[in-house]
Amino acid sequence: MKINFYLMAALSVLMLSCSDASNDDLPEVKEVVKEDEVVVVPEKKCQIVNKDGLLIIEGESFALKGQWRIKEDAKASAGKYIEYYGSNSYNAPNSASEISVKFYVDKAATYLVRWYMRQPDEAAGDLSNDVWIYFPGDIGLAKRDGIDVTLTKFEKFVSRGKVDFTYGGALDLHNPTTSSWMRVKFPAAGEYTLKISGRSSLFQLDKLVLSSGISDTDAQTNSKERTEALKCE
């Protein structure tokens, strides 16, 4: 009985000393920390698409290079437009100022090509009012003497407007010289490209408006307060 009494007393002392031990006396426990896992969220791919007979392309959607820049103005669609501030290039397109944009059409169709543009206040007459334009694949069309002509290279596209961004735009062809509405015939649904190149200094582009299945008057009315439609995946 005495042995059990002394054994229990010893155990009690041992337990008491352990409970009074400080944290410093405890064995070090190393925490295993896993490396932070980086969760990669795929970027959404967005395409400019046609909607309600309109395919609107904002100027700032072009992949800018050379002497093109984005500027802000409350009068512009979405509050922005692009300006060509390079030298005049009247004789031929300059590849250094060639910019492009991609977009998607949902079916084969022919579209009329128009835009909203502006000349600076100080521009006289027909200064600062045109660009070189081309749809790769030779899908652009003009009329010469009432006959459709396929556009196989950059052509001059022009209109006038000051103070506000003005709806308009037509081809000014050479050899022989003639004016024509510009149309583009998409042979099938798919992704396409539009290219423009700076032609006259300080030209300002708000947005391009391609319309199909509606009148030009309706295209102007319906596009004035609208920006481009996007489809993101």
Side-chain angles (χ1 to χ4, degrees):
M1 296 295 292
K2 290 184 179 179
I3 296 175
N4 291 339
F5 172 80
Y6 288 120
L7 179 61
M8 290 177 65
L11 288 174
S12 298
V13 172
L14 179 61
M15 292 175 64
L16 181 62
S17 63
C18 288
S19 64
D20 289 341
S22 67
N23 290 335
D24 293 338
D25 296 328
L26 296 176
E28 181 181 357
V29 178
K30 292 185 179 180
E31 184 179 359
V32 178
V33 180
K34 294 182 180 180
E35 291 186 11
D36 291 338
E37 294 183 1
V38 178
V39 179
V40 178
V41 179
E43 286 188 20
K44 286 187 177 181
K45 180 182 179 182
C46 296
Q47 289 181 308
I48 301 169
V49 296
N50 56 291
K51 183 179 180 182
D52 301 329
L54 293 174
L55 177 62
I56 298 175
I57 302 172
E58 294 287 349
E60 60 270 21
S61 290
F62 279 83
L64 301 186
K65 68 173 186 175
Q67 293 175 304
W68 287 92
R69 59 190 172 195
I70 296 175
K71 302 193 74 173
E72 296 184 354
D73 190 326
K75 291 184 176 182
S77 174
K80 296 179 181 180
Y81 67 94
I82 58 173
E83 178 182 67
Y84 173 63
Y85 63 99
S87 301
N88 295 327
S89 185
Y90 294 148
N91 294 325
N94 180 352
S95 60
S97 70
E98 179 185 307
I99 58 177
S100 64
V101 63
K102 293 184 181 297
F103 55 91
Y104 183 88
V105 295
D106 61 358
K107 62 181 179 181
T110 299
Y111 283 73
L112 176 67
V113 181
R114 305 281 264 166
W115 64 12
Y116 285 85
M117 56 75 66
R118 186 173 67 181
Q119 300 164 271
D121 292 340
E122 64 274 16
D126 62 354
L127 296 179
S128 307
N129 73 332
D130 54 37
V131 299
W132 296 102
I133 191 169
Y134 175 61
F135 286 89
D138 298 347
I139 56 177
L141 296 172
K143 280 197 180 292
R144 184 176 280 145
D145 298 326
I147 300 173
D148 279 340
V149 176
T150 299
L151 303 176
T152 61
K153 58 183 178 62
F154 280 94
E155 299 288 353
K156 177 183 175 182
F157 196 73
V158 58
S159 64
R160 292 189 185 186
K162 287 189 176 183
V163 183
D164 294 320
F165 289 94
T166 305
Y167 183 84
L171 291 164
D172 185 1
L173 303 174
H174 297 81
N175 301 318
T177 299
T178 185
S179 294
S180 170
W181 300 124
M182 183 178 192
R183 292 163 294 130
V184 56
K185 186 174 183 179
F186 301 112
E191 186 177 69
Y192 293 88
T193 301
L194 166 61
K195 295 183 177 183
I196 64 174
S197 183
R199 191 175 189 278
S200 55
S201 185
L202 301 182
F203 164 81
Q204 301 171 7
L205 173 62
D206 183 11
K207 58 188 175 184
L208 283 124
V209 178
L210 282 62
S211 62
S212 178
I214 60 176
S215 69
D216 186 40
T217 300
D218 286 343
Q220 179 178 3
T221 301
N222 297 344
S223 65
K224 186 172 179 60
E225 302 299 330
R226 286 176 57 174
T227 186
E228 61 192 24
L230 298 175
K231 180 180 180 182
C232 300
E233 298 177 349

